Amino acid sequence: MDRNSSRCEMSEGCLSPASRIRIAADIHRHSTSDDDSGCVLEEYSWVPSGIKPDMIHMYFACLPEDKIPYVNSIGEEWRTHQLHYQLPPQDSDARYCGKLDARERRELVQFELGRKRECLGRGTIEQLPYDSKRRHCHQCKGSLCEGNMVITAERFGHDVHWHPKCFVCTECSNLLVDLIYFKYGGDVFCGRHHAEQIKPRCARCDELIFSTECTEAEGRTWHMAHFLCSDCGVQLGGQRYIGRSDRITCIPCYLQNCSLVCNTCDKEIIVDKPHITQGDTHWHADQSCFCCNGCGKNLLGKRYSFRDAKLYCGVNGNCRKRYPKVTHFLQSFILSLHICLSFLFLFN
């Protein structure tokens, strides 16, 4: 079979015609000889190693334009930011951490050595052969065409491939910067989110927690010493607090700086007194305030509906006073009226 005829038709994951034209122009514009191959790549702030310049251009053509690390470009800024975000220095070097005791330092060293030995890898760029084999992307499950540029990862085996744009962290969905990945189970992660599969990260200092104690609250984790009031800085371990809008505040600061208003009586709610909250709406937890807006029925401990910032008894807001039931007399009257009208139209 002729090589050209064996190529699959253009589909998602294959190079677009515009990309192919751009690649051809790049290759034509730049020399690929051994003498000046370094000059070919001077337009990039980083290039994958071990492959020829023409394959490098083909690889970058598969990425979004704003992720290509041209010198002095948005792509270079993105790469610089992602290097620090995906590979936090404090995850691997105690010099970038705060106060670690001797035990925590030893644990950090062992943690990093274990990750490098068992999980760390760098993706390899390859071009699929024209062998008529059916292949699929490990991430998007889409088809991979003959001649496509793909990423392989040694820790996953050579039969596992990704589209270049699909070689992303399972947690944050960012392209894996400089093709650096960490394997966890059957997925690839950036360094930051791989570490968080194993150790919790402090929401305040952004360091991994190696201490024997920590605090979990509001879906996040803190060092005990870092679980502080956002306003006054007092430690909140074992204390009551209010968590709102990603801020943790002690009760005194909350009472001083914030106030809740009852949706029924419009009076202030004392935050450490019983009250009920739904979204941004609040009520005193008593029968005179937490009651049906239609009939005034006490709703404490009962089923209710919440519509247009108001409470109603019954399901779907069907309060009897708001939606009165049709009486038997009214039903009979409507039926009689319908019969009379039918006879009237019949004889006319």
Side-chain angles (χ1 to χ4, degrees), residues 15-40:
L15 295 178
S16 66
S19 295
R20 294 182 184 275
I21 293 173
R22 176 182 163 195
I23 292 168
D26 281 341
I27 296 173
H28 179 74
R29 185 173 70 251
H30 298 292
S31 168
T32 59
S33 67
D34 293 337
D35 294 333
D36 62 354
S37 59
C39 299
V40 176

Side-chain angles (χ1 to χ4, degrees), residues 156-292:
F156 287 79
H158 292 289
D159 292 331
V160 180
H161 307 85
W162 288 262
H163 292 112
K165 66 178 181 180
C166 293
F167 197 54
V168 299
C169 172
T170 301
E171 179 71 21
C172 64
S173 299
N174 282 316
L175 282 173
L176 292 168
V177 65
D178 293 4
L179 302 177
I180 298 171
Y181 72 89
F182 289 80
K183 183 177 186 291
Y184 188 83
D187 297 313
V188 290
F189 289 86
C190 66
R192 168 179 290 273
H193 292 113
H194 175 267
E196 292 175 9
Q197 305 303 309
I198 307 170
K199 292 287 185 180
R201 187 180 300 277
C202 179
R204 188 174 187 88
C205 69
D206 200 39
E207 295 178 16
L208 298 175
I209 299 176
F210 292 97
S211 57
T212 55
E213 294 183 330
C214 63
T215 297
E216 294 185 15
E218 305 296 318
R220 294 178 291 171
T221 313
W222 286 264
H223 288 105
M224 293 291 291
H226 291 167
F227 188 54
L228 311 174
C229 173
S230 300
D231 292 337
C232 69
V234 66
Q235 288 195 19
L236 296 175
Q239 306 296 320
R240 296 184 64 194
Y241 67 89
I242 300 292
R244 294 179 65 84
S245 303
D246 294 329
R247 289 174 57 83
I248 304 294
T249 56
C250 63
I251 299 298
C253 286
Y254 189 85
L255 291 174
Q256 180 178 351
N257 301 322
C258 305
S259 62
L260 303 180
V261 177
C262 178
N263 193 51
T264 300
C265 68
D266 291 328
K267 294 182 179 179
E268 183 179 358
I269 296 174
I270 306 301
V271 72
D272 57 350
K273 299 294 183 181
H275 64 279
I276 299 171
T277 296
Q278 180 157 335
D280 294 327
T281 310
H282 315 277
W283 298 268
H284 290 107
D286 57 48
Q287 60 183 8
S288 61
C289 289
F290 196 69
C291 59
C292 176

